[in-house]
Amino acid sequence: MTAAGTQLQPRKKGLTRRQKRSLSRGIQYAVFLAAVIAFAVSADWGRLKNQFAQADIADQMFPDVITLALKNTVLYTLSGFVVGLVLGMVIALMRLSSVGPYRWFAGVYIEIFRGLPALLIFIFIGVAVPLAFPGTEIIGGTYGKVALALGLVAAAYMAETIRAGIQAVPKGQMEAARSLGFSPARAMVSIIIPQAFRIILPPLTNELVLLFKDSSLVLFLGVTLEERELSKYGRDLASTTANSTPILVAGLCYLLVTIPLGFVVRRMEAKAQEAVK
């Protein structure tokens, strides 16, 4: 065999995995950038500005959009969250109860109120309750109705979250409390539930964000000018001015609350993961 025949052919070198990932990432960035540029070039920004960004109309909304609409939205949300948290705790404990009827009732409640749209719950509170119980007034007027409607919806989700948090606490905690002479109820309240809330705090905060947006359904209860929340306030002004700028300003006010809350949720989740590690 000749020396030329024994000479090894040079190997063809391909892209490494890291190079392939970098190339794929670069292509994705380029496609995304091209889509953004195409959108920016093709959009009629002048018409959008005339319809959604009239400074004089936006100025007319202040300070009422903050002192009235945003304030009412926050009050509706907090009241609904409190009602939902209390009712959700009760439903969660019933779900974990050894008494069969309690578990069945809690299960039916959760399935119904998780399955029904929140809009139907608001209509039920605003229309069906007065028809079923003539002359009956819900305490707090519109604020009480909103708190009840939001609370009924939120309780179904919070109940499952709280139940999962309680079950995530090691069983040894209950056994240790019982060995120290705690009754089951006292051990649950003093030992188990506080630990469960540390676990479920991020998802509960996320539920607060969802309730903040669901508060826009208050318009189906029929509110006065002083009881309007952000969405109703923005829509009313949009109809009056024949311009959508009030809707955009109302949406930005939502973001003033939801973005910081979202940041808080992410920080809580990160701390919870660090605690687990």
Side-chain angles (χ1 to χ4, degrees):
M1 184 178 294
T2 62
T6 58
Q7 186 177 2
L8 297 176
Q9 296 294 330
R11 297 179 60 186
K12 295 182 180 180
K13 295 183 178 180
L15 296 175
T16 64
R17 290 183 178 179
R18 179 176 298 179
Q19 291 172 331
K20 289 180 180 179
R21 286 196 298 268
S22 299
L23 178 61
S24 175
R25 193 179 302 114
I27 293 174
Q28 293 176 43
Y29 289 156
V31 171
F32 176 75
L33 182 60
V36 171
I37 293 174
F39 172 78
V41 171
S42 60
D44 190 339
W45 294 104
R47 294 180 64 183
L48 286 173
K49 180 179 181 298
N50 290 333
Q51 186 63 28
F52 289 95
Q54 291 294 321
D56 56 336
I57 296 177
D59 289 340
Q60 297 174 13
M61 301 178 65
F62 291 91
D64 287 349
V65 69
I66 302 296
T67 59
L68 175 68
L70 182 58
K71 181 199 73 173
N72 284 336
T73 301
V74 171
L75 289 177
Y76 292 149
T77 303
L78 292 179
S79 59
F81 183 81
V82 171
V83 172
L85 185 61
V86 174
L87 184 57
M89 173 65 72
V90 174
I91 297 297
L93 294 176
M94 292 175 69
R95 183 81 162 167
L96 295 171
S97 174
S98 59
V99 181
Y102 288 170
R103 294 197 308 273
W104 302 333
F105 174 82
V108 171
Y109 177 92
I110 290 171
E111 293 302 324
I112 290 177
F113 283 91
R114 282 198 310 182
L116 288 176
L119 170 61
L120 295 182
I121 306 302
F122 272 82
I123 294 175
F124 176 80
I125 295 298
V127 178
V129 171
L131 289 176
F133 305 98
T136 301
E137 289 291 336
I138 296 177
I139 299 175
T142 300
Y143 292 95
K145 293 178 183 178
V146 176
L148 181 58
L150 287 177
L152 288 173
V153 176
Y157 294 92
M158 290 185 184
E160 286 294 87
T161 301
I162 295 171
R163 178 186 63 81
I166 291 175
Q167 291 180 326
V169 177
K171 294 182 178 180
Q173 296 292 319
M174 175 62 79
E175 295 172 355
R178 293 301 305 278
S179 67
L180 293 175
F182 284 71
S183 66
R186 185 183 174 192
M188 178 65 70
V189 172
S190 302
I191 307 297
I192 306 301
I193 290 179
Q195 295 185 60
F197 267 85
R198 291 195 201 97
I199 299 172
I200 64 175
L201 202 53
L204 284 182
T205 309
N206 193 54
E207 183 63 31
L208 181 62
V209 175
L210 297 177
L211 284 180
F212 188 74
K213 294 184 292 184
D214 284 343
S215 64
S216 62
L217 297 173
V218 68
L219 66 95
F220 291 98
L221 295 177
V223 295
T224 65
L225 293 178
E226 296 300 318
E227 294 171 340
R228 290 178 296 176
E229 43 70 52
L230 282 170
S231 293
K232 175 65 173 172
Y233 183 83
R235 275 195 293 268
D236 287 349
L237 285 184
S239 299
T240 303
T241 60
N243 191 275
S244 299
T245 299
I247 295 177
L248 176 62
V249 175
L252 294 176
C253 290
Y254 276 103
L255 295 179
L256 288 177
V257 176
T258 57
I259 290 178
L261 278 178
F263 176 77
V264 170
V265 170
R266 289 191 294 273
R267 291 294 300 169
M268 287 181 176
E269 290 176 345
K271 288 185 177 181
Q273 291 176 356
E274 291 176 0
V276 172
K277 293 178 180 180

